[in-house]
Amino acid sequence: MYTGSRYKEAFRIINTTSDFTALIKRERYRADRNNQKFSLITFDVGELKNNHVKFDQLLEVLSSRLRISDEIGWFDERRLAILLPETSYDGARKLSNIIRVNISVSDPLSSCTVYVYPSINWIKENDCKDIPLHRE
């Protein structure tokens, strides 16, 4: 396990699943109130979190590509996610492709899922899918 300060700083920015769920809920309320969209990109990192070199590489790419308004968190045990306020499907897809290109990991990041809220259409392109996040 890493003990370096850079790893601790990077890991600290990753929200827990429960905290990340609360952030998604807050963003849904904000999107509804302001009639805006937001996107969520999930990466199935699987066992990547046990490979500290590759996980550190992923965190480095994420921290260099995200805006201050974006959030990183655990979507569930296997998927790391990025919450992108005021971001369309095209913007999220572009970012997911940039991240995948900049990570020298084949299997764990070979697929990602892009969710857009609100959305009624399913879109498939490359290895990413647009899946609607239904309103409550």
Side-chain angles (χ1 to χ4, degrees):
M1 186 132 208
Y2 279 117
T3 57
S5 62
R6 186 172 71 111
Y7 182 75
K8 287 181 181 178
E9 286 298 316
F11 197 75
R12 196 174 303 156
I13 64 172
I14 302 175
N15 290 283
T16 64
T17 303
S18 60
D19 289 345
F20 197 67
T21 300
L23 289 170
I24 293 169
K25 186 175 183 179
R26 181 188 72 190
E27 194 58 37
R28 287 176 69 180
Y29 290 138
R30 182 180 297 150
D32 289 343
R33 184 175 58 248
N34 297 319
N35 200 25
Q36 296 178 342
K37 291 183 178 182
F38 72 89
S39 294
L40 181 74
I41 306 171
T42 64
F43 296 98
D44 185 353
V45 296
E47 298 303 316
L48 181 64
K49 59 185 176 182
N50 295 325
N51 182 332
H52 297 293
V53 173
K54 291 181 180 179
F55 194 75
D56 192 41
Q57 182 184 15
L58 172 61
L59 292 178
E60 189 173 316
V61 170
L62 292 178
S63 64
S64 71
R65 298 301 306 186
L66 300 182
R67 306 167 297 186
I68 195 152
S69 59
D70 301 334
E71 296 282 351
I72 303 171
W74 289 107
F75 193 70
D76 57 29
E77 289 182 8
R78 293 189 55 86
R79 293 182 289 173
L80 193 64
I82 307 167
L83 178 62
L84 304 164
E86 300 178 27
T87 304
S88 67
Y89 171 77
D90 290 335
R93 186 190 65 193
K94 181 179 177 183
L95 177 61
S96 70
N97 287 336
I98 289 169
I99 292 168
R100 289 172 47 216
V101 164
N102 284 288
I103 300 293
S104 62
V105 178
S106 56
D107 286 345
L109 296 182
S110 64
S111 67
C112 67
T113 305
V114 176
Y115 299 89
V116 177
Y117 181 85
S119 177
I120 58 171
N121 298 318
W122 289 74
I123 301 171
K124 291 186 179 183
E125 187 165 322
N126 298 331
D127 293 324
C128 294
K129 297 175 264 189
D130 176 306
I131 301 174
L133 291 174
H134 300 285
R135 295 176 192 235
E136 291 181 49

